[in-house]
Structure formats: C-alpha cells, structure tokens
Amino acid sequence: MLSVENLAKNFGGVAAVNQCSFNIEENSITGLIGPNGAGKTTTFNMIAGAMRPTSGRITFNGIDITGKPAHELFHLGIMRTFQIPQEFSAMSVLENLMTVPGSQPGENLLHALFSSQKVRLREQQIRQRALEVLEFLRLTDLADELAGNLSGGQKKLLELGRAMMAEPKIVLLDEPGAGVNPTLLGNLADMIERLNRERSYTFCIIEHNMDMIARLCEPVIVMAEGSVLTQGSMEAVRTDARVLDAYLGGDDTPEIN
Amino acid sequence: MDAAQAYGYMLYLVSLITIGGIYALMCLGLNIQWGFTGLFNAGIAGFFAIGAYVSAILTTDGSPFHLGGFGLPVAFGLVGAMVVTAVVAWLVGLLCIRLRSDYLAIATIGIGEIFRLILKNEIWATNGARGIAKIPLPFETLAEPWNKIGFMLLVLAIVVAFYFLIERARLAPWGRLMTAIRENEHAARAAGKNVERFRVEAFICGSVLMGLAGGLTAHYIKFIGPGATEPLTTTFLVWVMLIVGGSGNNRGAILGAFMMWTIWSFSEVLTSRLPEELAIKAAYFRIFLIGLLLQVVLQRYAGGILPERRLVSVTNKK
Ligand SMILES: Nc1ncnc2c1ncn2[C@@H]1O[C@H](COP(=O)(O)OP(=O)(O)OP(=O)(O)O)[C@@H](O)[C@H]1O
Ligand SMILES: [Mg+2]
C-alpha cells in the first residue's frame, strides 16, 4: 500500500535517514521501532509531507507522492500524529477535533456567510462525531477546556482523536502511548485493533513500548542509524542479535527481553 | 454655551464618529489578518493609500493634473477601491505569505512604503505631493450639517454590516480554520488544510477593508495626498487600536478604534496648549502618550479590553 524506496534525508552533514526502504501492507498494523535518533520520526515526516526527502521515492497505492505537501496527502487518506503533541492551544478540545474533517462547506467563506443550512447540517454531523471520539478517549469532561491546558498525556490522546476525526486509509502514529497511563494504554491498543478490523485502517506505529508493539504489530520494522536493520514478526526481531546490539549501542534502555 | 458653540461641538462629535468608524473598518480588517489568522501586516498604510487613490481617481471630474475624469458615483469608487486592493493583496500574498510572521511584518512594511512612494512619484496619475482635490463627498447636495451627518451614518452602516459579516464568518468553520492556522500551522497542514491558500484569503479579506477605509477617507476629507497616508496615523494607530481593544474580538476591534481615535484627537487639543518651544515636538509627545496608554492597558488586560472568546461557537448550539 505504502512503499518507501531508498529514502534519505540529510540535515546539513547529518544523515538522519539513509537508504531506507520498506513496504507497509494494506490492512496491516506495522510497527516501526529503533533506538532514539534512528530516524523514525524523520521518516514519518517525509511520508506525511512535512519534509521533502533529500532523495528516494515514496509511493502510495501506486501513486508517486514524494514531496507532495501534507494537506494533499491528507486528502489521499494519509493521516499522521506527532511525537510532540501539536494542538491548537487557544481552541477548545472539541474545536480541535472539529477542525479536522475534510470537505467542510463552512470553510468556504461564501458558504459560511450565505448558506447557513448546509453549513449547519455538516457542523452537526462533525460535532456528533467529535463527541463520540471524546467519549471514546474519555475526554468528554474536557470538551470545553482549552487544548493548551491539557496534560501531556491528554494531549497525546487528543492527537489520536484528531486521527480518528479524519477518515484515513493509513494512520501514522508517532509514539501514541508515550505518557498515557497503563489502563488507557490498553484501551488504546484495543481501539487501534478495532479501527483496523472494523474500519480497515492501516496503521504504522512508532513506539518504544515493546509490549504494545508485541501485542499489536505484525510485521515490525527495526530502524537503526537511518536505515532498516531488519524486519519480521516481533518474535523474530526480538531474538535478533543485531537488534539487541543496536539498542545497547544507542542510548535507549533495552526493553527487549 | 451658546448655540454656535454647541453646533461646533456637534460637528466635532460627528467628525469623531465618522473617522472612528473608518478606523473601525481598518481594525476589523487587521483583526481578520492578525487576530484570527496570525498574519503580521505592517503595511496597512499601503493598502489604505491604494484604496484612497483608486476611489479618488474613479470619482473625480477630469483634471489636467492627475489621472481621472471618470466622474463615477462614489459607490463605484469605493467598490473599485476594494477590488483593486483585493488584487494587490492577492499578489502580495502570493509573494510573501510563506514568510514567518516576523519576516512577513518586515516585508509588508517595505511593500506598504513602496506603494506609497509609487503613488507619490507617479505624478501623471496622482499629482504627486500636491495630491488629488475636489473628491466628491456623498450627500454633497445636502445642507451643511446634514451632509456630514449623512456620511457619518453611511460609515456607521458599513461598519455594522461588516461587523455582522465578519462575526458570522468567525463563528463558522471558516473562522475556526483561520484560528487553527494561527495556533499551529503544522497541525493544520496535517489535518489537510491548505495553509497558504487560506492565509492569502485572510490577507485579502483584511486588506480589502483597509482599502475601503482609504476610499472613505478620501471622500470624507475631499482630498488625498501623501500626507494623508502616513504610517503613523494608519499602520501604527490601527495596531494600537486592535491590541488595546482586543485582538481576535470583533467588538474589541471596534471599541479600540473609537476609543483610541477619541484619545488621539483629544491629545491634539492637549498638545496645542503646550508652550511654543515644545509645540514642535507635539507629534512625539502624542506618540509617547499612546505608547504609555498601551502599556497601562496591557498591564491590566493582557488580551485587550475585550479579549478573544472562542468557546461559545461550538458547545452551546446543539
Ligand atoms: N529538523 C532537524 N534538524 C536537524 N537534525 C534533525 C532534525 N530532525 C531530526 N534530526 C536528527 O536526525 C536524527 C533522527 O531523528 P528522529 O527524530 O527521526 O529520530 P527518532 O528515531 O524519531 O528518535 P526518537 O525515538 O528519539 O523519537 C537525530 O540525530 C536528530 O538529531
Ligand atoms: Mg521520534
């Protein structure tokens, strides 16, 4: 569904991503792991159009999407969340969610001013959906709170909420579990599974929580120093000596056991 | 107080409200750009000047000194002013909108000044430093106070109409989107919003109101020259008005405009009483006064007197 070929990104002299190639199969929940600084987030940034690759090619369902801007990719069905939460601080939590859906007639100035009926109907739908998402994330009580006032973990949930507001084909989650409490983490994994099964969302998940990866992901891609070290089932990856090496060599605590 | 004096005060009040209303339009425009969308337009003077000259040229009778002689009705002049500023703002937007907000400020200062210099130096079109005179005032046929009062009512009607339109747009998904862009452009992009396009849109909408204000000013004072488009009395004052009134709040923008214009014009009364040796410094004194006032207001009200309120838009409507 999504394929990355020989992707590279240099920041000045630093090669953050280098000759990185992998595929994400339709309907899979693919894990993307690797030590800190391996280039995972940078890879996401390039796939989602936030950064232009230095070289390489990205295709999505056969279309070359290399270097396309983020907003166009959204409309092709690619949604991403951010490792460091990016919320609309001075807007309410509910509004943060309501901003997301595409094709809102009210975003057209003339419709906003003169065709209130059409705008109102769509707004009702969107509000309904947003309230469901909040319910799901157990953030209902915070609907009217300014997003800037949320705690770190709540902001992570809001990131996820935004992904749920879109109707994406593939969701790129950058450490969705970081800072989220264990109970909710379980629900989160349930939710990802459910979205995958019932709505056939494809997922690619960056995560340092190996339990979560082990539970959800098949296959798992391991990145180190900007390229793919190995990939396969969690079982296979877990016992791979090179993977252990990469984690021990990096500054990450090895959670692999 | 005798009758003549009372009449004088009344005329003063009418002029205060008229010009306050014109500033309110510019403030509403800047509110769309900065208050909603976070675009730092420091070239208000340029758009104001374009609107003023376009309306002047379209409505004056023929003259050997400047382009014109179209003699169109004032309404055409004002619409023309809005259309031309829209086109110019669109071009400026295409060029500059990718710049980060502080760079956008610098770029727009430069562009605004370039417009003003062009208007000053293209003497064949604008009569240069001597300016364009005999610009028609609407309701000119009415007798003395009534023409002024008529124009005041016209300005107020325009302000009210735009207030309702802009407030409606603000509460619609359009306004939510602009605020989202202001708050976090990365998240807005990831949510599929074409940030550049919407920024240009907001920039045009705001600039159009500045052009309209320029046009109204030209008709009101019946004359337009380089002196009437100084950045001090346009860009600077409008910014202070919006910040004092409450950036992001349309009522705040209007309140700030009337309030600061009143203070600004009273400060002239004050400085005219200064001893002669200080009188030449009066302009600086007035700016100092405004700066001081800005400080005082911001100490008490960080978001302006009427700060932005967004939450109402979503929850109360089921
Ligand atoms: N904008 C940037 N400018 C310069 N260097 C960058 C930039 N973004 C990332 N890097 C560098 O690229 C490398 C890869 O960073 P990246 O964020 O992709 O790592 P990561 O795999 O997501 O790590 P983590 O697990 O800690 O989030 C790092 O060495 C980082 O310092
Ligand atoms: Mg990362």
Side-chain angles (χ1 to χ4, degrees):
Chain A
M1 176 183 217
L2 186 102
S3 108
V4 170
E5 293 162 48
N6 296 324
L7 205 62
K9 178 75 191 177
N10 297 332
F11 295 111
V14 185
V17 174
N18 185 23
Q19 296 302 309
C20 180
S21 307
F22 58 83
N23 288 311
I24 297 173
E25 297 304 326
E26 184 146 13
N27 249 319
S28 71
I29 304 181
T30 302
L32 185 57
I33 65 172
N36 291 123
K40 305 179 296 292
T41 298
T42 308
T43 304
F44 265 22
N45 279 337
M46 289 187 282
I47 297 174
M51 273 178 193
R52 217 169 237 291
T54 309
S55 64
R57 216 165 88 98
I58 307 165
T59 54
F60 180 61
N61 287 332
I63 313 167
D64 188 341
I65 56 163
T66 320
K68 270 206 200 308
H71 66 88
E72 284 179 27
L73 296 175
F74 173 94
H75 294 289
L76 287 176
I78 301 178
M79 180 76 198
R80 66 88 58 95
T81 68
F82 294 90
Q83 178 172 3
I84 301 162
Q86 303 284 328
E87 73 285 352
F88 305 121
S89 313
M91 291 163 67
S92 73
V93 168
L94 191 59
E95 277 192 305
N96 265 259
L97 295 183
M98 291 181 66
T99 305
V100 174
S103 62
Q104 298 194 28
E107 286 179 355
N108 176 308
L109 183 57
L110 291 178
H111 287 169
L113 292 177
F114 304 115
S115 43
S116 52
Q117 192 57 28
K118 201 162 135 194
V119 173
R120 197 171 323 122
L121 281 176
R122 181 85 174 106
E123 275 289 270
Q124 268 165 8
Q125 279 173 8
I126 293 175
R127 179 175 303 114
Q128 199 49 47
R129 174 82 190 125
L131 289 171
E132 282 165 25
V133 169
L134 286 179
E135 181 85 44
F136 190 93
L137 297 172
R138 299 174 191 201
L139 291 176
T140 307
D141 292 344
L142 293 170
D144 290 339
E145 188 58 65
L146 294 185
N149 295 341
L150 297 187
S151 74
Q154 290 167 335
K155 284 182 184 173
K156 283 309 291 200
L157 293 175
L158 186 59
E159 282 285 316
L160 212 69
R162 282 213 310 271
M164 292 173 67
M165 288 301 292
E167 300 275 308
K169 297 198 174 78
I170 182 167
V171 188
L172 311 171
L173 299 176
D174 198 342
E175 302 194 17
V180 174
N181 82 63
T183 327
L184 207 50
L185 205 62
N187 295 336
L188 212 132
D190 291 343
M191 179 200 80
I192 291 171
E193 267 178 337
R194 226 175 72 201
L195 288 173
N196 175 250
R197 219 171 334 123
E198 292 169 15
R199 300 210 176 196
S200 50
Y201 285 13
T202 303
F203 282 95
C204 181
I205 306 176
I206 297 179
E207 200 30 90
H208 288 296
N209 180 333
M210 292 303 153
D211 293 335
M212 188 167 166
I213 292 280
R215 177 178 158 190
L216 289 175
C217 299
E218 171 78 45
V220 176
I221 299 170
V222 186
M223 277 185 79
E225 290 171 14
S227 48
V228 175
L229 188 65
T230 180
Q231 53 184 308
S233 70
M234 189 61 191
E235 288 315 306
V237 161
R238 191 169 253 169
T239 49
D240 192 316
R242 289 171 303 169
V243 176
L244 273 170
D245 252 12
Y247 270 92
L248 290 171
D251 50 6
D252 214 28
T253 25
E255 283 173 285
I256 299 183
N257 37 44
Chain B
M1 184 159 55
D2 60 27
Q5 221 176 356
Y7 182 71
Y9 281 124
M10 196 270 291
L11 279 188
Y12 185 69
L13 189 68
V14 169
S15 121
L16 209 62
I17 294 174
T18 308
I19 301 179
I22 291 174
Y23 274 108
L25 284 174
M26 284 196 268
C27 268
L28 286 171
L30 185 63
N31 196 30
I32 296 175
Q33 294 176 341
W34 173 250
F36 299 179
T37 321
L39 300 172
F40 200 126
N41 181 1
I44 299 171
F47 296 101
F48 176 88
I50 290 173
Y53 276 99
V54 167
S55 200
I57 288 169
L58 287 178
T59 56
T60 42
D61 289 328
S63 151
F65 302 115
H66 60 82
L67 183 66
F70 300 103
L72 293 170
V74 172
F76 282 83
L78 294 176
V79 171
M82 291 166 77
V83 170
V84 174
T85 26
V87 172
V88 173
W90 176 60
L91 293 173
V92 172
L94 288 185
L95 272 175
C96 303
I97 220 71
R98 275 163 218 278
L99 299 174
R100 266 187 26 222
S101 74
D102 34 0
Y103 293 106
L104 180 65
I106 295 167
T108 47
I109 292 180
I111 288 170
E113 283 310 285
I114 290 169
F115 291 156
R116 295 196 335 109
L117 281 176
I118 292 174
L119 290 169
K120 189 168 166 183
N121 289 307
E122 294 299 312
I123 299 174
W124 61 274
T126 63
N127 202 19
R130 275 187 229 98
I132 299 178
K134 293 192 192 148
I135 303 171
L137 175 74
F139 314 112
E140 201 142 37
T141 48
L142 297 177
E144 166 63 357
W146 299 111
N147 55 1
K148 299 272 166 60
I149 291 172
F151 190 73
M152 177 189 79
L153 293 175
L154 174 71
V155 169
L156 288 181
I158 293 175
V159 171
V160 169
F162 274 107
Y163 166 76
F164 280 111
L165 286 176
I166 297 169
E167 187 67 7
R168 196 176 163 91
R170 183 181 79 89
L171 294 174
W174 188 83
R176 182 166 71 210
L177 171 56
M178 294 300 170
T179 312
I181 290 173
R182 181 193 75 195
E183 287 297 305
N184 193 326
E185 62 176 282
H186 304 292
R189 286 205 172 89
K193 312 304 179 195
N194 187 342
V195 170
E196 275 74 29
R197 216 210 86 182
F198 285 110
R199 277 191 177 145
V200 171
E201 199 173 310
F203 192 73
I204 294 173
C205 290
S207 300
V208 161
L209 289 179
M210 295 163 190
L212 174 62
L216 286 167
T217 306
H219 292 289
Y220 181 60
I221 56 181
K222 298 176 70 54
F223 168 82
I224 194 77
T229 63
E230 286 294 335
L232 173 65
T233 48
T234 50
T235 310
F236 172 74
L237 264 189
V238 173
W239 266 99
V240 173
M241 288 164 171
L242 182 66
I243 300 302
V244 167
S247 180
N249 185 320
N250 289 319
R251 282 183 214 180
I254 294 173
L255 174 77
F258 281 107
M259 194 180 113
M260 293 312 288
W261 176 247
T262 307
I263 292 171
W264 178 258
S265 54
F266 276 131
S267 77
E268 189 173 23
V269 178
L270 272 182
T271 52
S272 67
R273 307 221 165 136
L274 283 175
E276 205 171 327
E277 61 273 23
L278 284 179
I280 40 167
K281 300 203 174 95
Y284 304 105
F285 180 72
R286 292 172 79 186
I287 298 171
F288 173 74
L289 207 70
I290 294 288
L292 195 69
L293 195 83
L294 185 65
Q295 286 294 322
V296 171
V297 170
L298 287 184
Q299 291 287 331
R300 277 203 65 142
Y301 312 94
I305 296 172
L306 296 175
E308 182 184 21
R309 287 203 350 249
R310 272 213 61 82
L311 300 174
V312 278
S313 64
V314 213
T315 26
N316 297 337
K317 294 181 289 182
K318 256 271 151 11

